[in-house]
Amino acid sequence: MKKWPEHFPKQYPPPDAIPPSGNVFRFINRTSPKENDFFSYYVLKPDEVWGDKACNARGLSVYTSEADCVAAASAVPALKKKHISVAILPENSGVITSTPSMKTKDHKTFWSVLEAKELAELFSPIASGVGNV
C-alpha cells in the first residue's frame, strides 16, 4: 500500500478500519466525478481546528449502498442537491470504517492513499442520482 498522507495523525486511520470491499458510494457536486469531489475536509480547510473530528476530517464520507445514500439525503437536506457516484476501489487503496452520525447511521469514512484525481477517475455517476429517486 502507498503511504498515508503526511497530514494524517500517527494513530489514524483507526485500528478497526479495514480495506473496502464491494461498491463504495460517494456524494458528488455535479453529474460526473471531478477531483474537487474527493478532497477531504482537512485538505479543504487545513487551518480549521478539528478537535475530536480530526481523524474523520482527513477521510472521505462514503456509503456502502445506494439505499444508504438515499436515506442520508432524506435525513440531511443539503445532500438532496448532490449526485451519487460509485466505485469498486482497488486493493490497497485505503481503509474504511463505520462512523455513524445522529442523522446517518450508515455513514462510513474512507481514508485513502490515492490522490483525489485518481479517485475521481475510479468513481462513476449513478444515473438515478438523489434528485431522481
Side-chain angles (χ1 to χ4, degrees):
M1 183 172 355
K2 292 182 182 180
K3 293 176 84 173
W4 297 114
E6 292 294 321
H7 62 80
F8 276 34
K10 291 191 187 312
Q11 68 273 26
Y12 290 104
D16 65 337
I18 60 172
S21 64
N23 289 330
V24 175
F25 297 81
R26 177 153 170 86
F27 286 102
I28 57 175
N29 293 315
R30 55 202 59 80
T31 55
S32 295
K34 302 290 184 227
E35 182 177 5
N36 294 11
D37 293 314
F38 298 92
F39 290 134
S40 69
Y41 287 126
Y42 180 85
V43 168
L44 293 171
K45 297 180 180 183
D47 296 327
E48 182 98 8
V49 178
W50 294 103
D52 64 349
K53 300 291 183 190
C55 179
N56 289 1
R58 287 164 167 85
L60 299 174
S61 293
V62 297
Y63 297 85
T64 53
S65 78
E66 186 175 0
D68 291 345
C69 289
V70 172
S74 294
V76 181
L79 295 178
K80 290 179 183 173
K81 298 176 184 176
K82 305 238 179 211
H83 299 271
I84 302 172
S85 62
V86 63
I88 295 178
L89 298 170
E91 191 174 326
N92 296 323
S93 61
V95 294
I96 190 172
T97 194
S98 181
T99 51
S101 71
M102 290 177 65
K103 291 186 177 183
T104 57
K105 64 180 176 68
D106 297 312
H107 181 270
K108 312 269 190 289
T109 299
F110 172 63
W111 293 273
S112 181
V113 296
L114 303 176
E115 297 291 329
K117 184 177 180 179
E118 294 173 282
L119 289 168
E121 292 170 358
L122 291 171
F123 277 77
S124 299
I126 291 184
S128 65
V130 178
N132 299 324
V133 176

